[in-house]
Amino acid sequence: MILSVSGVVLLGIIMFLFFRKDGMKPLHAAVCAMFGFYLAGTAIAPSIQAGSDSLASLLGGIAP
């Protein structure tokens, strides 16, 4: 649960930076959010979750 919350926060910060620095429009942010929402309900969602868990454990193993 902590990993998913921190992942959501990280992606939210990235979206905010895109919005402020790269000129991402609010409509683009809404489309990204809807895409993520609908992607979570598909059959590929467990594979994405496993990949992000693997990446998190890899990054966790690098940090001292």
Side-chain angles (χ1 to χ4, degrees):
M1 180 67 178
I2 292 173
L3 178 64
S4 63
V5 170
S6 52
V8 167
V9 170
L10 177 65
L11 291 174
I13 290 170
I14 290 170
M15 270 183 49
F16 177 75
L17 290 174
F18 282 158
F19 180 72
R20 296 286 290 173
K21 301 285 182 188
D22 293 336
M24 187 167 96
K25 307 285 188 264
L27 180 62
H28 298 152
V31 169
C32 288
M34 287 189 299
F35 176 71
F37 178 76
Y38 288 117
L39 186 63
T42 64
I44 199 169
S47 298
I48 294 172
Q49 181 68 40
S52 60
D53 289 344
S54 171
L55 180 64
S57 66
L58 175 73
L59 293 176
I62 292 173

